[in-house]
Amino acid sequence: MPKVYIDGTSIEVENGTTILEACEKIGVEIPTLCYLKHLNPAGSCRLCLVEVKGSRLLQTACTTPCAEGMEVTTMNQNIYNARKLVLELLLANHDDGCFSCPNNGKCDFARYCMDYDIEKSPFPRNKEFPPVDESGEFFTYDASKCILCRRCVRTCAELQCNNTYTLKGRGHETMVGLPFNQLFKTSNCVSCGNCVSVCPTGALSTKSGKKYRDWEIKKTQTTCPYCGVGCQIELHTKGNKVVGVEPLDGPANNNLLCVKGKFAYEFINHKDRLTKPMMRKGGKGSPLEEVSWDEAMSHIAEKMLAIKAESGPDSLAGFASARVTNEANYIFMKMMRAAVGTNNVDHCARLCHASTVAGLATTLGSGAMTNSISEVVDSDVILVSGSNTTETHPVIGAKMRQALLRGAKLIVAEPREIDLAKQAEIFLQIRPGTNVAFFNGMMNVVIEEDLLDKEYVENRTEGFEELKTLISEYTPEKVAEICNINAEDLRKAARLYAKAEKASIFYSMGVTQHSTGTAGVMCTSNLALLCGKIGKYGCGVNPLRGQNNVQGACDVGCLPGDYTAYQKVVNPDARAKFEKAWGVSLPDKPGLTITETIGAIESGDIRCLYVMGENPMLSDPDINHVEHALKKCEFLVVQDIFLTETAELADVVLPAGSYAETDGTFTNTERRVQLVCKAIEPVGDSREDWDIINELMDRLGYKNNFSSSSDILDELAGTSPSYGGYSFERLKKEQPQWPCPNKDHPGTPVLHIGKFSRGERAIFKPSPYIPAAELPDEEYPFVLTTGRVLYQYHTRTMTGKSEGLTNIMGTSFIEINPTDAGKLGIANSDKVKVASRRGEVTVEAHVTDKVAEGILFMPFHYKDGPANKLTNNVIDPIAKIPEYKVCAARLEKF
Amino acid sequence: MTEINIVKDAVKKHGRKRESLMPVLQEIVKQENYLSEERLMEIAKEFDLSSAEVYGVATFYSFLPVKPMGENVIKVCQTIVCDMKGKEAVLDAIKDKLNIVPGQTSADGKFSLMAVNCIGQCSNAPAMLVNDKPYINLTYENVVKIIDEYQS
């Protein structure tokens, strides 16, 4: 702990602390242009020069570590002159059209020039610049405004790990740019915009940002509404309009964002937003007409009460939402249970991670990511299976790549050659639906070669003997045949994983969305337990949750068998607790899942469905069937921000406020509860989700005592052990991960340390490989698998409003291997007709060896060419999750 | 197919670790006299580096041209000593003989001219390299002669 003196003030700092960091600690500002907290210091801009007593020359504060007794002077005439010279040299070739610069008002460079009394550079301007690159959808690059700090180059290379930029040339001619004569559009740029966020000048600037000035906007800290990473962002608003997004240094994202988080905010103020309640006044078949809130609400309450009175509470069902806040979900689930009196409440987690919740809860006692996102950077080995992480959870994908830069090794087991596969030490291109066999094969090698953690298995697990018996059947050769991989590669992968000190498993829909999804999940935990890699830093089993608050929607009880924090409705103690808290008697029978509800509407058992912020018309499997059911539903209420495909079928549509118009919390994929803060007033007559449900409950005869969403979180905290320590006040200061049982608890970054959530021991659940329900045959010779793309999100209700994203990837497609395409006479971009036993769609063919022969891949986002017309709604018997990832299909040229 | 082998052969000879990048780039320049976009992409792939990084390295060095060069490449030293001792006369001679300035290639494709940094001949300044062969103590006259030799 060296002690240093900065301008006479003494401070003791950790070893390795730089002078700049020490100055920051005591509030001494040092000007910097190239320095960024999360980058390795470069010392290249020479602006942070300070005087260190005894040194012949001035030193760069950002690269010089503090040493015992060091005496630092941060300002004198010598330092002033040196810094001024640096700025003058930079200004010589810097475009001085500051009036028209989008960075006007927030430019670090301009501010420093002002601080150092510079109006003009004394040096000649003698550099020529290429034209402004405006080819990208979201931002432009003007080299004449670049000051060569290389923040963009380094952020792209070291943090985003995409290496789009380079320094071209040398000396005076040096320029930041793309290699060769590439433009953004023709480069490997993924439009994440992290370079734009770090640019200290207007060289890299957003296209939308050219229309407003920094001093005109209000900044609101909140949580990104896209995937489950939970990036912290600052919403920039001008008047009641969101005009920009900047990343914040949140615990999950550390100043990074992806293209959706950074740029896809157009939906908030989009002209298609629902602004008035609507009703079919003339009954089914009549058009939706705008009505007052009062009319809509009284109609809904009347109908719901009437149906309840006629057919009982279980004839009503509700779909909550993985997009809305914990508070809105809590009150929604409370409405269904306490005001309606049914457990028929579920949400789309059923369609993504129900098998995770079921599988990991059984083996470990908690169905969530066991470790934290930030730990991946420190892992030695990362095993990714069934997750196209760089596209679906881009910031986690970037962190995985950061780990690779530090020397970590990557194993990818995926049906497609995803981007991560290119950087993998071992890439196993497994056949879709063979995850269970793959994991069993890994375990076979681990046991066979005696690589297991015997002490851990003995002291912390049960069921090993059974596992061993089953696993012995899965020899690498047998598994290689099932998965269509190389047995030796499998052996190598198993050795790499088992021998690593810190090895983490990441998985997503590719493991869960199968009729054997729960078995697949249990296999991930079997493997990790076998190698002693749960309950340790940098290890764990990490299911990546797809939506901003899918973790939270599960946590707060939007599941037919669970109250908040996974307290079971069949458990009399839990039920009694909620009966007492809510002052009503509650049903003891678990309700229906999403998939079951659709069937129950079809059979007439469910007469009323209330959908809050979900779009089953695109997201559910076999949508022809879903459409049929929803059309048949006697009374369908949809509460959303847009007139979605589902809302179009509704009897009453209620306009809800978006995440920018509400206060609340989201829980990210690593169990971290973070605040969502209202940045603008509700658009039109829309209302916050919780507020709508609160009034409706009142009309249904149940009075809550909520005057804000903060009150709801307090009630939630009071009834849920793992959420006990949360309140708005606390979350403003820190965002602990659950379990966080009380106000003083620091939260739990790593689960199962020393003891598992389920008890002393975790349990092995050996699972045999069962092939997918529908396999290719003569009639349908291909295996069709589905997934997501970087540039779209879910059913595109939000990303579809972004012009830029639509331009980049606005239409559906199907990936087909060149050999298969050749046989069928299909060329790239040809229109093809794809059919399964459930329906057919026409889409564009992308001929690529990303997919193996016999395999087809389609994204599920699109209304035109919807993949879910084809998918199979056969479900996993335990978790009731549908088998989106495998169905048999055929295709032909259109 | 033989074209692809140039990179593969160079990699075989020098290795594919990061520190072998320079020798491989030099090898390609030796054989093809510049680094085409295609070759840089192939090299990036072989080294598992981004094309941006490989391009950045190549453009840093004047001995690693990324544009096609003439049959003969003249590199005139532009650093202080050569500058003081008469670099301008050298460039004038070349301009008069070949009608090119630094960065250009003669119309017949026979000569390219580059102004480079110190080539280690300060004691014999001004100096230049033609196809990596050093010529020292240059004057307007002997540069004319040297070019005549290459032209014949």
Side-chain angles (χ1 to χ4, degrees):
Chain A
M1 294 276 282
K3 190 175 184 183
V4 292
Y5 300 87
I6 294 167
D7 297 333
T9 308
S10 73
I11 175 178
E12 237 181 276
V13 293
E14 299 275 326
N15 276 331
T17 304
T18 62
I19 295 177
L20 183 69
E21 287 161 347
C23 287
E24 211 165 63
K25 283 202 171 93
I26 57 167
V28 172
E29 201 207 344
I30 306 282
T32 57
L33 285 170
C34 72
Y35 171 81
L36 276 181
K37 186 178 162 197
H38 296 290
L39 287 173
N40 295 318
S44 66
C45 76
R46 320 305 291 178
L47 199 57
C48 63
L49 295 170
V50 292
E51 208 166 79
V52 176
K53 195 174 175 189
S55 291
R56 196 168 58 85
L57 300 169
L58 296 176
Q59 303 291 316
T60 45
C62 73
T63 56
T64 312
C66 293
E68 181 58 37
M70 198 180 240
E71 290 177 44
V72 180
T73 305
T74 64
M75 181 51 89
N76 59 27
Q77 193 60 45
N78 191 20
I79 295 168
Y80 175 90
N81 292 345
R83 289 181 187 164
K84 183 169 183 170
L85 179 67
V86 167
L87 290 166
E88 284 173 342
L89 283 165
L90 289 175
L91 185 60
N93 280 301
H94 180 78
D95 174 46
D96 55 7
C98 293
F99 274 177
S100 58
C101 178
N103 215 39
N104 188 340
K106 56 173 178 178
C107 181
D108 294 342
F109 183 53
R111 182 164 62 88
Y112 291 142
C113 283
M114 224 159 73
D115 288 352
Y116 288 80
D117 311 304
I118 303 164
E119 284 186 17
K120 261 190 182 153
S121 176
F123 301 105
R125 175 158 306 190
N126 53 8
K127 206 167 157 181
E128 279 182 28
F129 297 99
V132 177
D133 182 354
E134 295 182 321
S135 69
E137 288 297 332
F138 302 103
F139 52 88
T140 60
Y141 172 54
D142 180 353
S144 71
K145 295 192 173 77
C146 173
I147 52 164
L148 298 173
C149 68
R150 300 192 298 127
R151 279 189 187 178
C152 55
V153 182
R154 289 148 65 219
T155 296
C156 192
E158 292 174 29
L159 300 179
Q160 179 65 24
C161 307
N162 208 56
N163 290 298
T164 300
Y165 293 97
T166 188
L167 274 190
K168 306 203 228 192
R170 168 185 198 148
H172 182 263
E173 301 307 316
T174 307
M175 220 168 315
V176 165
L178 309 188
F180 315 110
N181 291 313
Q182 285 177 359
L183 298 173
F184 286 122
K185 210 174 180 168
T186 52
S187 74
N188 69 339
C189 174
V190 292
S191 299
C192 66
N194 289 316
C195 52
V196 183
S197 304
V198 298
C199 182
T201 71
L204 281 159
S205 55
T206 60
K207 287 184 170 174
S208 59
K210 299 188 185 356
K211 291 283 170 246
Y212 64 92
R213 291 287 180 238
D214 196 53
W215 55 81
E216 298 175 306
I217 55 177
K218 189 183 90 178
K219 296 171 183 178
T220 310
Q221 176 172 352
T222 188
T223 303
C224 178
Y226 287 104
C227 75
V229 178
C231 298
Q232 291 301 289
I233 56 172
E234 189 175 72
L235 271 186
H236 289 187
T237 50
K238 182 178 170 180
N240 210 42
K241 195 164 187 263
V242 177
V243 293
V245 173
E246 288 296 330
L248 291 175
D249 195 7
N253 64 310
N254 304 115
N255 282 330
L256 293 181
L257 288 179
C258 76
V259 59
K260 298 185 287 279
K262 172 85 181 162
F263 297 112
Y265 53 81
E266 275 163 84
F267 75 91
I268 299 168
N269 294 97
H270 197 269
K271 62 173 175 42
D272 292 350
R273 275 287 300 273
L274 290 171
T275 55
K276 293 256 196 290
M278 292 191 289
M279 240 170 78
R280 295 185 201 282
K281 281 179 145 177
K284 289 257 180 222
S286 69
L288 282 166
E289 289 172 65
E290 286 183 3
V291 293
S292 70
W293 271 103
D294 185 57
E295 190 175 354
M297 293 291 249
S298 60
H299 180 65
I300 296 170
E302 246 169 57
K303 279 296 274 190
M304 283 176 77
L305 288 171
I307 290 173
K308 181 180 164 184
E310 284 166 26
S311 311
D314 286 339
S315 61
L316 293 91
F319 291 170
S321 173
R323 304 260 185 105
V324 310
T325 60
N326 286 324
E327 293 68 22
N329 277 312
Y330 176 84
I331 194 172
F332 185 86
M333 137 347 256
K334 187 177 176 185
M335 171 178 80
M336 295 311 294
R337 292 195 159 115
V340 177
T342 177
N343 283 319
N344 290 339
V345 55
D346 201 8
H347 71 287
C348 68
R350 184 67 49 203
L351 311 174
C352 60
H353 272 296
S355 31
T356 293
V357 175
L360 295 187
T362 308
T363 58
L364 308 175
S366 177
M369 247 175 101
T370 59
N371 291 54
S372 308
I373 292 169
S374 59
E375 291 169 40
V376 70
V377 181
D378 293 326
S379 291
D380 302 317
V381 169
I382 304 165
L383 166 56
V384 176
S385 184
S387 162
N388 185 2
T389 321
T390 53
E391 297 207 41
T392 59
H393 300 81
V395 170
I396 296 179
K399 295 205 165 189
M400 286 177 177
R401 287 176 160 165
Q402 289 173 22
L404 301 184
L405 281 182
R406 288 174 192 215
K409 301 269 185 273
L410 178 67
I411 304 166
V412 174
E414 265 279 320
R416 294 164 72 215
E417 196 185 350
I418 55 172
D419 284 344
L420 277 180
K422 297 187 185 90
Q423 288 175 281
E425 183 82 4
I426 302 163
F427 170 45
L428 301 144
Q429 192 160 18
I430 59 172
R431 212 174 260 150
T434 61
N435 310 64
V436 172
F438 162 71
F439 281 106
N440 285 348
M442 292 279 282
M443 285 184 266
N444 181 286
V445 178
V446 170
I447 294 174
E448 210 48 46
E449 301 190 3
D450 205 24
L451 301 170
L452 64 165
D453 186 336
K454 285 186 196 122
E455 205 187 306
Y456 188 96
V457 169
E458 183 157 331
N459 296 330
R460 301 204 53 193
T461 67
E462 56 189 81
F464 174 65
E465 286 308 317
E466 277 169 66
L467 179 82
K468 199 174 163 186
T469 312
L470 178 100
I471 291 302
S472 64
E473 294 168 29
Y474 292 87
T475 61
E477 280 66 29
K478 180 177 162 183
V479 170
E481 203 183 313
I482 297 172
C483 300
N484 194 26
I485 54 175
N486 181 310
E488 203 41 47
D489 287 346
L490 180 71
R491 285 197 177 90
K492 278 190 209 152
R495 288 173 201 145
L496 192 60
Y497 174 81
K499 286 181 183 171
E501 195 191 322
K502 289 180 296 224
S504 47
I505 299 176
F506 285 82
Y507 73 85
S508 191
M509 281 17 355
V511 164
T512 62
Q513 288 178 336
H514 294 285
S515 53
T516 55
T518 308
V521 171
M522 288 169 167
C523 283
T524 64
S525 113
N526 289 345
L527 174 63
L529 288 170
L530 192 61
C531 301
K533 295 197 183 355
I534 292 182
K536 292 182 186 163
Y537 180 87
C539 299
V541 174
N542 299 294
L544 298 176
R545 308 299 300 253
Q547 300 201 58
N548 54 335
N549 198 32
V550 64
Q551 184 66 53
C554 293
D555 295 345
V556 305
C558 293
L559 296 170
D562 300 68
Y563 300 120
T564 64
Y566 309 97
Q567 302 170 81
K568 304 290 168 207
V569 301
V570 292
N571 176 350
D573 293 341
R575 199 164 60 246
K577 175 176 161 185
F578 280 92
E579 286 179 339
K580 187 164 168 249
W582 293 344
V584 288
S585 69
L586 294 169
D588 57 358
K589 175 172 95 51
L592 299 181
T593 63
I594 279 194
T595 20
E596 289 165 343
T597 302
I598 298 296
I601 296 172
E602 194 91 69
S603 67
D605 293 336
I606 298 279
R607 293 173 59 196
C608 166
L609 177 66
Y610 196 119
V611 181
M612 171 177 74
E614 292 236 334
N615 191 11
M617 271 294 295
L618 268 191
S619 62
D620 288 22
D622 190 3
I623 51 185
N624 285 335
H625 176 213
V626 175
E627 182 176 0
H628 188 251
L630 293 183
K631 278 185 174 155
K632 197 182 157 188
C633 185
E634 184 180 328
F635 188 58
L636 177 65
V637 181
V638 174
Q639 174 177 326
D640 209 307
I641 61 173
F642 289 108
L643 193 68
T644 61
E645 291 75 12
T646 308
E648 280 172 20
L649 304 179
D651 297 282
V652 184
V653 178
L654 299 177
S658 76
Y659 83 107
E661 297 142 55
T662 192
D663 288 315
T665 57
F666 292 155
T667 307
N668 79 350
T669 186
E670 57 171 349
R671 301 171 276 108
R672 192 182 298 283
V673 180
Q674 305 184 108
L675 279 181
V676 178
C677 299
K678 186 169 168 173
I680 56 170
E681 288 307 312
V683 170
D685 283 347
S686 68
R687 285 168 63 180
E688 291 179 66
D689 285 297
W690 74 266
D691 179 43
I692 300 172
I693 302 295
N694 196 32
E695 185 188 328
L696 184 57
M697 283 177 81
D698 198 11
R699 288 174 185 260
L700 291 172
Y702 186 99
K703 185 100 189 98
N704 282 310
N705 235 341
F706 299 137
S707 60
S708 70
S709 46
S710 173
D711 294 344
I712 304 178
L713 181 62
D714 292 343
E715 184 177 304
L716 168 62
T719 51
S720 323
S722 59
Y723 271 61
Y726 298 124
S727 67
F728 274 32
E729 273 318 303
R730 183 176 183 189
L731 293 171
K732 278 176 195 162
K733 297 188 284 277
E734 51 177 355
Q735 303 81 35
Q737 290 158 274
W738 67 253
C740 178
N742 58 59
K743 306 276 178 229
D744 304 314
H745 193 282
T748 314
V750 182
L751 293 179
H752 316 302
I753 294 180
K755 184 174 179 292
F756 288 95
S757 305
R758 74 181 286 273
E760 282 304 317
R761 287 163 184 273
I763 187 165
F764 284 115
K765 281 282 176 187
S767 310
Y769 163 68
I770 301 166
E774 192 179 72
L775 293 174
D777 53 23
E778 265 179 27
E779 203 182 348
Y780 296 95
F782 288 95
V783 173
L784 171 69
T785 186
T786 65
R788 292 172 273 181
V789 299
L790 172 64
Y791 300 100
Q792 298 295 347
Y793 178 71
H794 214 240
T795 64
R796 293 180 72 232
T797 49
M798 286 146 61
T799 51
K801 307 295 185 290
S802 161
E803 210 184 300
L805 291 180
T806 304
N807 289 341
I808 295 173
M809 206 163 259
T811 49
S812 189
F813 60 86
I814 190 161
E815 286 178 357
I816 177 171
N817 182 279
T819 311
D820 292 330
K823 280 183 206 155
L824 294 166
I826 293 166
N828 202 27
S829 304
D830 277 356
K831 283 261 174 241
V832 292
K833 206 163 78 183
V834 194
S836 77
R837 290 191 171 81
R838 289 149 297 277
E840 66 172 51
V841 299
T842 308
V843 286
E844 194 180 297
H846 285 188
V847 178
T848 167
D849 44 25
K850 230 169 153 173
V851 288
E853 274 178 57
I855 313 291
L856 304 171
F857 167 83
M858 262 182 95
F860 79 85
H861 311 287
Y862 299 92
K863 185 179 171 178
D864 302 316
N868 284 328
K869 263 197 176 165
L870 308 170
T871 47
N872 194 354
N873 66 352
V874 57
I875 56 176
D876 175 281
I878 303 164
K880 315 280 168 73
I881 191 168
E883 188 152 65
Y884 287 101
K885 291 292 180 189
V886 186
C887 76
R890 67 162 179 253
L891 93 173
E892 60 195 63
K893 206 166 158 170
F894 184 63
Chain B
M1 284 318 280
T2 50
E3 283 182 21
I4 289 168
N5 287 339
I6 292 179
V7 170
K8 289 222 190 281
D9 288 350
V11 169
K12 209 176 277 170
K13 190 165 154 195
H14 298 284
R16 65 177 77 236
K17 288 213 170 127
R18 184 68 176 76
E19 61 265 27
S20 305
L21 179 60
M22 286 300 288
V24 168
L25 291 170
Q26 285 167 327
E27 181 85 32
I28 305 301
V29 172
K30 208 195 253 170
Q31 297 197 27
E32 299 196 318
N33 110 348
Y34 83 113
L35 292 159
S36 65
E37 180 167 340
E38 197 188 346
R39 290 287 172 271
L40 287 169
M41 297 287 237
E42 284 168 28
I43 293 167
K45 207 171 170 196
E46 285 293 324
F47 280 82
D48 199 16
L49 290 171
S50 71
S51 55
E53 188 169 352
V54 175
Y55 183 81
V57 170
T59 56
F60 185 79
Y61 295 100
S62 42
F63 284 66
L64 298 175
V66 293
K67 281 193 303 195
M69 290 283 125
E71 266 171 51
N72 302 293
V73 181
I74 307 171
K75 300 182 181 107
V76 176
C77 177
Q78 62 174 353
T79 321
I80 298 173
V81 179
C82 287
D83 190 62
M84 290 171 71
K85 296 273 281 180
K87 174 204 76 178
E88 283 311 314
V90 178
L91 291 178
D92 285 345
I94 296 168
K95 172 94 205 272
D96 292 346
K97 283 294 288 180
L98 302 170
N99 196 27
I100 51 175
V101 295
Q104 292 182 337
T105 297
S106 61
D108 59 4
K110 287 251 187 318
F111 291 91
S112 287
L113 174 59
M114 295 161 81
V116 301
N117 290 322
C118 185
I119 52 175
Q121 296 290 349
C122 306
S123 56
N124 305 309
M128 69 178 185
L129 300 170
V130 181
N131 302 337
D132 296 340
K133 185 175 173 196
Y135 292 89
I136 55 177
N137 297 320
L138 298 173
T139 59
Y140 184 96
E141 290 73 26
N142 61 19
V143 171
V144 169
K145 253 201 237 157
I146 293 164
I147 291 172
D148 281 340
E149 275 168 34
Y150 278 92
Q151 276 179 326
S152 59

